[in-house]
Amino acid sequence: MNNGDLKFPEGFLWGASTSAHQVEGGNTNNWSEWEKKNAVRLARQAEKRYSHLSVWEDIKSQAQDPQNYISGKAADHFHRFRDDFALAKDMNHNAARFSIEWSRIEPEEGVFNETVISHYADVLHFLQALGIEPFVTLWHWPVPVWVSKKGGWTKGETTDYFLRYVERVAGAFKNSVHFWAILNEPLIYSALSFLKGEWPPQQNSVNNYFKVVSHLAEAQHRAYRIIKEISPASSVGSTQILAYFEAYENTAWNRSLKRISDHFQYRFLEKTKHAHDFIGLDYYFHNRIRGWWGRNENRYRSDMGWELYPEGIYYVLRDITKRFKKPIYITEHGLADGEDTLRAWYIRESLHHVHRAIQEGSDVRGYLHWSLLDNFEWDKGFWPRFGLLEVDYKTFERRMRPSAHFYADICKENAITPEILEKHKDLFIGF
Ligand code: BGC
């Protein structure tokens, strides 16, 4: 429990994140093609996958409807970005992470769409006018259809195609973007798409998994050099999902399982560490190792059944600081919480632990909540609600969730104060 007064470092970035495919709407890429082929299957499997969740009764009809699995118009952010970022400004955000969609920029091999490039230029100008710092992701998972037809990231040439796109985008926006995240969570994508066979192209191939990881690592190295050549003063990295593996009671056995887990999750970063000016941390998971993995207490869970364990972020920040000694931006952190009963508590507690890590020497320079608005959650579709802004998918209206007001006050004060906690005390009843 934290009672305030937690002041954050001057110039701290406060905001929220999105990704193109999840919010823009109207995308045509390998993922949208896969959705059309798999929507009926995913709807049929919903009961098996989700009926154990506490929200099952509420989400059942949506989760069993094939339309739920088609991104379609998503939140129509492509056309409504002005309204969305104006709301971010109202919520006192001074930073916004979003991704540029490769398949829109280069819908056919070597053909760059100037109208789309000027669309993203408009987005950047708009953010600049609002005084919101853009944090731009260059690849957040889907690839253009022509790339996937040639084998996607399993092929070395995809790295070359990607670099050509990166060069084009970095050149076009060199005067308006300081923060670049080249890749979003390369290891999660590689594992779920090429090893576990859950996401497109649904492969179960150890061989392809390693190929994809190595092509993405090469993309990180080379894209880093390209961007730094174009804008030497920019800050370039990527975002990584990093879990807190807890060696329960610090026993030798639990510690060795933790070491193995950490070895795998940090491998990509270790291999590419010279191609990151900062570490972008996406924190969602805690894994208590007590003889074996996954012995979590699960006191609080999100709508998706993920355990909410705020202090985990403290340990991950400590670990990253020790390993890499670089500035850290928390580029994602959040939860599916349609009723908004846990979000404010989760933000409050997690920021308490972020603050503690900063006090102890972690160079954390920003926090970007996932997500600015409700979005399309990949193979799960629209029912998980991650937004600070609630989206009505019929009217596309946005509404600030109560926790968003709480977070807005923190952003404004650059602090959690007793006054803020008092003002929003109704959000914490029962915690
Ligand atoms: C991804 C997001 C996703 C979020 C919640 C992150 O791993 O980058 O795209 O929506 O997790 O599942």
Side-chain angles (χ1 to χ4, degrees):
M1 167 65 189
N2 108 60
N3 297 311
D5 223 352
L6 308 178
K7 185 103 193 101
F8 285 78
E10 214 172 301
F12 201 78
L13 295 186
W14 291 106
S17 298
T18 59
S19 89
H21 190 71
Q22 294 178 271
V23 293
E24 281 183 347
N27 280 319
T28 303
N29 52 39
N30 73 316
W31 211 295
S32 66
E33 296 304 292
W34 179 83
E35 289 158 18
K36 286 183 217 147
K37 294 194 189 106
N38 288 275
V40 169
R41 171 182 66 83
L42 292 167
R44 223 185 295 120
Q45 293 172 342
E47 181 159 11
K48 195 159 151 239
R49 294 175 74 195
Y50 310 126
S51 58
H52 66 286
L53 298 175
S54 62
V55 294
W56 173 242
E57 286 306 318
D58 303 326
I59 64 157
K60 179 154 113 179
S61 63
Q62 191 179 6
Q64 290 180 323
D65 176 359
Q67 272 312 312
N68 173 59
Y69 302 94
I70 306 275
S71 55
K73 285 189 173 176
D76 197 27
H77 175 74
F78 193 81
H79 299 112
R80 293 166 197 261
F81 72 87
R82 289 187 183 80
D83 296 346
D84 290 337
F85 290 132
L87 284 165
K89 180 72 188 170
D90 290 345
M91 294 190 287
N92 307 311
H93 296 188
N94 62 16
R97 176 179 168 225
F98 67 95
S99 75
I100 290 184
E101 177 58 27
W102 182 7
S103 63
R104 280 192 193 269
I105 299 268
E106 193 183 0
E108 284 167 51
E109 184 171 357
V111 180
F112 290 88
N113 186 328
E114 295 301 331
T115 315
V116 169
I117 294 176
S118 54
H119 165 85
Y120 287 114
D122 288 348
V123 172
L124 289 164
H125 290 148
F126 190 71
L127 287 171
Q128 194 180 25
L130 293 174
I132 294 181
E133 179 77 46
F135 211 108
V136 177
T137 313
L138 285 159
W139 177 72
H140 201 124
W141 299 347
V143 293
V145 172
W146 63 268
V147 173
S148 69
K149 282 197 177 138
K150 287 168 175 262
W153 285 107
T154 61
K155 298 283 185 250
E157 298 84 73
T158 294
T159 310
D160 299 324
Y161 303 139
F162 179 68
L163 294 170
R164 189 175 56 187
Y165 150 77
V166 168
E167 191 170 357
R168 186 63 182 250
V169 171
F173 303 136
K174 63 176 183 218
N175 296 325
S176 28
V177 178
H178 177 70
F179 292 104
W180 296 98
I182 298 167
L183 308 171
N184 181 65
E185 303 175 4
L187 291 184
I188 288 288
Y189 165 80
S190 310
L192 289 172
S193 289
F194 295 92
L195 203 55
K196 293 185 83 182
E198 289 179 18
W199 292 350
Q202 280 194 281
Q203 295 183 6
N204 300 100
S205 159
V206 177
N207 193 22
N208 278 352
Y209 167 77
F210 283 112
K211 275 193 200 161
V212 168
V213 172
S214 115
H215 296 147
L216 288 168
E218 193 190 332
Q220 178 73 31
H221 276 295
R222 291 173 56 197
Y224 177 85
R225 283 201 298 271
I226 289 173
I227 302 172
K228 293 301 269 194
E229 228 162 77
I230 295 174
S231 7
S234 62
S235 194
V236 185
S238 265
T239 66
Q240 317 291 325
I241 207 159
L242 295 166
Y244 168 43
F245 288 98
E246 175 193 2
Y248 195 68
E249 289 177 342
N250 207 20
T251 65
W253 170 254
N254 292 345
R255 272 206 315 271
S256 53
L257 294 187
K258 172 181 169 57
R259 247 194 315 275
I260 295 169
S261 318
D262 280 340
H263 170 79
F264 282 106
Q265 73 163 346
Y266 282 112
R267 220 165 39 139
F268 188 90
L269 266 177
E270 293 285 359
K271 265 174 66 180
T272 59
K273 65 178 164 215
H274 301 301
H276 299 260
D277 295 328
F278 62 85
I279 306 296
L281 166 65
D282 294 356
Y283 175 78
Y284 292 96
F285 302 112
H286 163 230
N287 195 320
R288 175 169 290 167
I289 302 170
R290 188 179 190 181
W292 205 245
W293 287 272
R295 302 293 187 250
N296 296 25
E297 191 189 348
N298 290 321
R299 186 148 169 236
Y300 297 108
R301 288 181 190 243
S302 76
D303 291 349
M304 283 159 73
W306 297 359
E307 188 202 30
L308 302 171
Y309 190 75
E311 66 233 68
I313 200 165
Y314 163 80
Y315 293 103
V316 176
L317 289 170
R318 216 170 64 165
D319 222 18
I320 299 174
T321 301
K322 216 161 59 205
R323 282 172 187 265
F324 304 104
K325 301 179 181 58
K326 295 192 191 219
I328 303 165
Y329 292 88
I330 297 162
T331 39
E332 283 185 36
H333 172 267
L335 68 163
D337 181 17
E339 296 294 318
D340 203 43
T341 48
L342 295 166
R343 192 172 282 105
W345 163 81
Y346 193 48
I347 291 176
R348 181 191 75 182
E349 290 306 293
S350 302
L351 288 178
H352 166 77
H353 291 289
V354 171
H355 187 266
R356 184 173 153 219
I358 295 172
Q359 296 301 102
E360 293 177 17
S362 288
D363 186 6
V364 186
R365 300 189 181 179
Y367 171 87
L368 297 150
H369 189 78
W370 185 272
S371 177
L372 177 62
L373 60 159
D374 287 338
N375 54 49
F376 179 73
E377 181 59 21
W378 307 110
D379 61 331
K380 299 183 183 60
F382 286 106
W383 64 262
R385 300 285 190 149
F386 276 90
L388 292 168
L389 299 173
E390 181 180 357
V391 175
D392 179 330
Y393 288 112
K394 288 202 184 77
T395 61
F396 293 104
E397 259 171 274
R398 276 67 165 148
R399 187 184 68 88
M400 265 171 85
R401 291 202 158 97
S403 58
H405 291 276
F406 167 63
Y407 181 54
D409 284 343
I410 298 173
C411 300
K412 180 163 177 223
E413 298 300 327
N414 193 29
I416 305 184
T417 63
E419 294 73 28
I420 295 175
L421 293 178
E422 174 62 25
K423 176 171 163 198
H424 298 276
K425 65 174 186 283
D426 289 353
L427 296 176
F428 304 112
I429 292 168
F431 291 102

